[in-house]
Amino acid sequence: EVQLVESGGGLVKPGGSLRLSCAASGFTFSSYSMNWVRQAPGKGLEWVSSISSSSSYIYYADSVKGRFTISRDNAKNSLYLQMNSLRAEDTAVYYCARDGEAASVDAFDIWGQGTMVTVSS
Amino acid sequence: SSELTQDPAVSVALGQTVRITCQGDSLRSYYASWYQQKPGQAPVLVIYGKNNRPSGIPDRFSGSSSGNTASLTITGAQAEDEADYYCNSRDSSGNHLGVFGGGTKLTVL
């Protein structure tokens, strides 16, 4: 079964750090670009960051640039998001999502269940 | 960066047809994809490309595009189709799928 499972969310104080992980299974992880997408409570979806299959190309939303770092370990079938200098507005459910382009699906074709990040004092 | 615009809310009578639209300059160059999200659940891809449905998505869901507007049509809406729907596209450079619409809340009456 193709699956993405996020972990690492929790409560953190403003200015603090958190590292999210996403474990992939059921597909050749190293062939796909991966993404983080977040959703603040009661709000819409916001793309956060993207990393290509070999980590050669990395992109960030302006709202997180300079504070968040995306990375991956293809040997461990894992995606990461290091979040520093966290702000209240970073409070959201964070989803790991596969870019299906390698399977000729130009979309986020697989999503994890999400992990909640709450930034509050 | 690009932006995609959706109507915040749309309603449809049970069994009728509804169209949800998405507008943006990036849609002149790239197809939109559409995601259904029910409360407390992760988004699910329902339409991608010119008009493609992933396995398991009912054929009452279809997509189309013209100019800077993409549309998701549900023909014969069911109660279980009540959800939020988001469109998505590549950014203007085509480097990533970094552009989402604000979402449309679909109510089935």
Side-chain angles (χ1 to χ4, degrees):
Chain A
E1 179 191 6
V2 175
Q3 197 173 10
L4 298 170
V5 178
E6 301 93 337
S7 60
L11 175 63
V12 61
K13 290 181 168 54
S17 298
L18 211 56
R19 189 195 196 206
L20 305 183
S21 298
C22 171
S25 59
F27 65 98
T28 305
F29 179 73
S30 59
S31 295
Y32 291 85
S33 294
M34 297 296 297
N35 296 260
W36 289 99
V37 176
R38 69 184 180 183
Q39 186 171 36
K43 302 297 184 182
L45 300 173
E46 179 189 15
W47 171 80
V48 172
S49 183
S50 170
I51 185 168
S52 62
S53 57
S54 60
S55 303
S56 298
Y57 301 98
I58 289 175
Y59 305 97
Y60 298 99
D62 288 343
S63 57
V64 306
K65 202 172 294 183
R67 300 187 299 122
F68 290 11
T69 302
I70 191 172
S71 62
R72 65 190 295 164
D73 186 334
N74 287 342
K76 294 183 178 179
N77 291 334
S78 293
L79 175 72
Y80 306 102
L81 187 67
Q82 177 67 43
M83 303 186 295
N84 298 331
S85 303
L86 282 162
R87 306 166 179 168
E89 54 264 36
D90 295 319
T91 294
V93 175
Y94 284 73
Y95 295 103
C96 166
R98 187 179 86 168
D99 181 334
E101 190 173 23
S104 301
V105 177
D106 194 19
F108 297 122
D109 61 343
I110 305 296
W111 295 70
Q113 85 289 351
T115 187
M116 183 70 203
V117 172
T118 302
V119 183
S120 175
S121 55
Chain B
S1 62
S2 302
E3 291 184 355
L4 297 177
T5 301
Q6 297 181 241
D7 292 329
V10 171
S11 62
V12 61
L14 185 66
Q16 296 304 300
T17 296
V18 62
R19 177 180 294 180
I20 299 170
T21 61
C22 173
Q23 289 187 302
D25 287 342
S26 63
L27 300 181
R28 297 184 183 279
S29 303
Y30 305 104
Y31 287 116
S33 50
W34 291 91
Y35 305 85
Q36 177 192 70
Q37 187 180 35
K38 297 181 180 179
Q41 297 183 19
V44 173
L45 177 66
V46 294
I47 290 291
Y48 66 94
K50 190 174 183 180
N51 181 18
N52 300 296
R53 285 175 288 106
S55 175
I57 301 301
D59 60 5
R60 63 179 179 271
F61 289 88
S62 63
S64 62
S65 183
S66 177
N68 73 334
T69 301
S71 300
L72 172 70
T73 300
I74 307 174
T75 303
Q78 301 300 302
E80 60 265 32
D81 299 334
E82 184 162 296
D84 293 326
Y85 290 87
Y86 295 90
C87 60
N88 170 263
S89 175
R90 294 199 168 270
D91 75 315
S92 55
S93 66
N95 290 327
H96 55 77
L97 291 162
V99 185
F100 279 100
T104 297
K105 168 63 179 176
L106 176 65
T107 300
V108 180
L109 304 171

